Amino acid sequence: EAAETNRLNEAHWQPVSDEINDALTADIKLLQQRCRHEANNNSVIDGGIETHVTNVVGSTGPTLQVLTDDDRFNSEIEQLLKYWSANCEFQDDLSLVDLLEGWTAQYLFNGEMLVQEIVGKGIADYRLHDLGAEAFDMTIQNPNIYGGIELDANEQVKWYHVCDPGNPGDKAKLPKEFTLHCYRRRFAMQRRGL
């Protein structure tokens, strides 16, 4: 009886694709747009997101405390991180707290976040570029690329294909080693957040 499908429950029990990445690739943009719409237009959802962001990030963000036997070294490292944290975003001069707040919110209404690491010669030259989930290039038709994520022969992430949402012709291919893609994995082999 539990497996019975009839006119009363047939609309609820729709078949689901066996391949999670195919399902995500087909609908992810629409799902993210709807989630962002609700977050922007529903005060209850917005309040829940803001409360979650405050609980996760706090008012000052994380603080580093170095505990070695060398107090001078400890202080220098702590000050270096404090300096970097004040202005660590590549393009918009955002602080680490600003980025963490944005990422925590993005994770809730986009289901994922995408960040490019820009590495310079020293720690002060290391920057983060918040690309946003909408930067994934969804136009590529290739069996090894799912929603802008290219896999190698072992089905491991190799490249992230991105484009500027305001200028879709402006495309780039980012190596996995310098790209942070965070999402909650609910299914084996899942490549995108939901």
Side-chain angles (χ1 to χ4, degrees), residues 44 52 63 72 105 113 131 148 164 166-167 181:
V44 174
H52 181 73
T63 303
R72 183 171 167 252
M113 53 175 258
L131 299 170
D164 181 348
N167 181 11
H181 178 218

Side-chain angles (χ1 to χ4, degrees), residues 66-78:
V66 181
L67 299 172
T68 69
D69 294 335
D70 186 341
D71 290 339
R72 183 171 167 252
F73 174 78
N74 296 346
S75 179
E76 286 178 7
I77 295 298
E78 289 170 6

Side-chain angles (χ1 to χ4, degrees), residues 1-41:
E1 187 176 298
E4 181 182 352
T5 302
N6 57 44
R7 67 176 181 78
L8 299 175
N9 69 5
E10 67 185 354
H12 180 74
W13 298 112
Q14 294 296 315
V16 178
S17 169
D18 291 335
E19 174 55 52
I20 185 63
N21 293 313
D22 291 339
L24 284 174
T25 301
D27 296 326
I28 197 163
K29 289 280 189 192
L30 179 61
L31 291 171
Q32 289 175 339
Q33 289 170 351
R34 288 179 177 173
C35 288
R36 281 193 298 272
H37 173 82
E38 287 300 319
N40 290 331
N41 295 295

Side-chain angles (χ1 to χ4, degrees), residues 6-176:
N6 57 44
R7 67 176 181 78
L8 299 175
N9 69 5
E10 67 185 354
H12 180 74
W13 298 112
Q14 294 296 315
V16 178
S17 169
D18 291 335
E19 174 55 52
I20 185 63
N21 293 313
D22 291 339
L24 284 174
T25 301
D27 296 326
I28 197 163
K29 289 280 189 192
L30 179 61
L31 291 171
Q32 289 175 339
Q33 289 170 351
R34 288 179 177 173
C35 288
R36 281 193 298 272
H37 173 82
E38 287 300 319
N40 290 331
N41 295 295
N42 184 321
S43 60
V44 174
I45 292 174
D46 182 53
I49 290 172
E50 289 302 316
T51 299
H52 181 73
V53 168
T54 301
N55 289 339
V56 171
V57 178
S59 59
T60 60
T63 303
L64 177 68
Q65 184 178 13
V66 181
L67 299 172
T68 69
D69 294 335
D70 186 341
D71 290 339
R72 183 171 167 252
F73 174 78
N74 296 346
S75 179
E76 286 178 7
I77 295 298
E78 289 170 6
Q79 289 303 313
L80 184 59
L81 182 67
K82 187 176 180 180
Y83 167 78
W84 177 82
S85 295
N87 186 15
C88 61
E89 211 276 338
F90 170 71
Q91 194 169 14
D92 297 322
D93 297 330
L94 299 174
S95 71
L96 183 59
V97 171
D98 296 330
L99 287 175
L100 291 172
E101 288 174 344
W103 293 338
T104 304
Q106 276 185 53
Y107 185 80
L108 292 175
F109 58 75
N110 281 334
E112 62 188 342
M113 53 175 258
L114 186 66
V115 179
Q116 178 185 9
E117 296 178 81
I118 300 172
V119 180
K121 293 182 180 184
I123 183 79
D125 297 326
Y126 178 81
R127 293 282 185 259
L128 301 170
H129 186 194
D130 183 6
L131 299 170
E134 51 279 340
F136 282 102
D137 185 354
M138 303 291 287
T139 63
I140 301 172
Q141 301 296 321
N142 182 312
N144 294 325
I145 300 175
Y146 291 98
I149 300 172
E150 184 174 342
L151 307 177
D152 65 16
N154 297 318
E155 296 206 4
Q156 298 298 311
V157 175
K158 183 176 180 181
W159 298 97
Y160 290 93
H161 295 264
V162 297
C163 62
D164 181 348
N167 181 11
D170 187 8
K171 300 181 181 213
K173 189 171 159 181
L174 307 177
K176 175 191 177 214

